[in-house]
Amino acid sequence: YITFPNMFTSNNACSAPTSFLLTGIPGLESFHIWFSIPFGSMYLVAVLGNVTILLVVRVEQSLHQPMYFFLCMLAIIDLVLSTSTMPKLLAIFWFGACNIGLDACLTQMFFVHCFATIESGIFLAMAFDCYVAICDPLRHTSVLTHEVVGCLGLAALLRGLLYVGPLPLMIRLRLSLYQTQIIAHSYCEHMAVVTLACGDTTVNNLYGMGIGFLILTLDSLAITASYVMIFRAVMGLATPEAKLKALGTCGSHICAILVFYIPIALSSLTYRFGHHVPPHIHILLANFYLLIPPILNPVVYAVHSKQIRERLLHIVKAGAQ
């Protein structure tokens, strides 16, 4: 059972801490050791699944296609997202290691929000890939060349850096005094830190909301628009078999997109508007959106991709022999 020293101070007694204390799952500290079992298991599954995808695509030449390159990008992003939070969370659960330095906290914040933004950009790129594959299949290989795929991935990376880079800098430069050192969260989420600050946090709040709007709203609208055009093209295909094949091509993309956007949207809405939602429910949602996509993305694509399934079976049989 983890206890915290009484570090809460009044607004008139703000201090400039060099470190913070993460609570893990607030209100459920006595159950931390039990929470470590599912969280540790899910993290292990996420790492194994995404590393497997990376290895399979690397060794199988027939998978060197845009869809699988984007899948590898997702795997790397998911590994970074889960690894940026889960080891620290498990350390809190197992050893009560709640202390985190200010710079380490801001670094963790950057990685979480930056790579979530990059993942959203990769989903945009995957929607474009699916659109070209369905609506203009004869030009797919000429449009989605390896260089174009690399440029789309680089664009998603640069956009994440551009959007999220200012977040920790604005906290470091503008917010030096805090009401308490205790962050009622399992990792250094932007709003969880900003709400503890003394002084005017309007700029930080507006910037954070702007980033959330750009990612959740504009990205999801762009992806939705692309799939509306895709479905219109699919409905115009001549035979039912062609329609099913085309829908199957994009089915895994849609599943992965829903797995990513639904938890992050629920977590964001709960944080900003769910004032009556118990804190531990919000924290669990926040952790799930960092764990569920890394777990399910490899499963979704392995189920929907015949090439990946066949290569995995070949590896398993070779290992058994």
Side-chain angles (χ1 to χ4, degrees):
Y1 186 89
I2 300 172
T3 59
F4 296 95
N6 185 15
M7 292 186 177
F8 287 97
T9 59
S10 68
N11 290 336
N12 297 322
C14 296
S15 61
T18 58
S19 64
F20 292 103
L21 289 174
L22 295 168
T23 60
I25 311 296
L28 299 175
E29 289 85 356
S30 60
F31 297 99
H32 275 181
I33 192 64
W34 298 107
F35 278 120
S36 70
I37 298 173
F39 276 96
S41 301
M42 287 190 291
Y43 176 57
L44 180 61
V45 170
V47 170
L48 291 176
N50 286 286
V51 169
T52 300
I53 290 293
L54 290 171
L55 293 175
V56 168
V57 174
R58 178 178 175 81
V59 301
E60 183 57 54
Q61 291 292 324
S62 65
L63 298 180
H64 291 184
Q65 304 172 26
M67 172 183 171
Y68 300 104
F69 289 143
F70 287 130
L71 178 56
C72 287
M73 295 179 194
L74 281 184
I76 294 171
I77 293 166
D78 286 339
L79 285 171
V80 173
L81 273 176
S82 56
T83 303
S84 65
T85 56
M86 285 304 114
K88 180 61 179 177
L89 180 60
L90 292 175
I92 295 172
F93 287 165
W94 290 334
F95 312 114
C98 302
N99 190 73
I100 185 170
L102 175 59
D103 290 334
C105 181
L106 296 179
T107 301
Q108 185 186 58
M109 178 192 302
F110 170 78
F111 274 98
V112 169
H113 294 292
C114 180
F115 278 85
T117 304
I118 296 170
E119 183 155 356
S120 183
I122 297 300
F123 281 127
L124 271 173
M126 295 176 79
F128 175 67
D129 172 50
C130 192
Y131 169 78
V132 176
I134 299 298
C135 299
D136 198 0
L138 297 179
R139 297 183 58 210
H140 182 252
T141 54
S142 60
V143 173
L144 270 298
T145 62
H146 290 183
E147 291 76 15
V148 170
V149 171
C151 288
L152 290 173
L154 180 61
L157 173 63
L158 293 177
R159 190 185 73 149
L161 294 173
L162 179 65
Y163 280 8
V164 180
L167 279 181
L169 290 177
M170 290 169 66
I171 291 177
R172 197 73 167 92
L173 299 175
R174 298 187 71 255
L175 306 176
S176 57
L177 300 177
Y178 294 84
Q179 303 170 37
T180 175
Q181 291 174 268
I182 300 176
I183 301 175
H185 211 296
S186 59
Y187 61 89
C188 290
E189 200 270 343
H190 175 251
M191 287 305 299
V193 176
V194 169
T195 53
L196 302 181
C198 301
D200 186 11
T201 61
T202 303
V203 174
N204 301 76
N205 289 329
L206 289 177
Y207 190 82
M209 290 178 65
I211 297 303
F213 174 79
L214 288 172
I215 297 171
L216 288 177
T217 305
L218 296 186
D219 282 12
S220 59
L221 286 176
I223 291 171
T224 301
S226 68
Y227 278 103
V228 168
M229 291 186 287
I230 289 169
F231 287 132
R232 288 178 61 185
V234 168
M235 292 302 105
L237 295 176
T239 64
E241 292 78 10
K243 292 180 181 180
L244 289 175
K245 183 178 179 181
L247 290 174
T249 301
C250 295
S252 55
H253 298 247
I254 296 173
C255 291
I257 288 167
L258 293 176
V259 164
F260 175 76
Y261 280 106
I262 290 176
I264 197 172
L266 288 175
S267 177
S268 179
L269 291 173
T270 301
Y271 203 99
R272 296 188 182 279
F273 305 109
H275 303 298
H276 301 294
V277 177
H280 62 272
I281 297 297
H282 166 69
I283 305 305
L284 289 172
L285 282 174
N287 281 285
F288 285 151
Y289 96 70
L290 295 178
L291 269 178
I292 299 302
I295 292 172
L296 291 185
N297 282 345
V299 174
V300 166
Y301 282 97
V303 168
H304 282 82
S305 172
K306 180 180 179 181
Q307 295 97 319
I308 292 181
R309 289 200 309 271
E310 290 177 347
R311 187 63 190 178
L312 284 174
L313 288 174
H314 177 74
I315 293 173
V316 170
K317 290 178 180 177
Q321 294 174 355

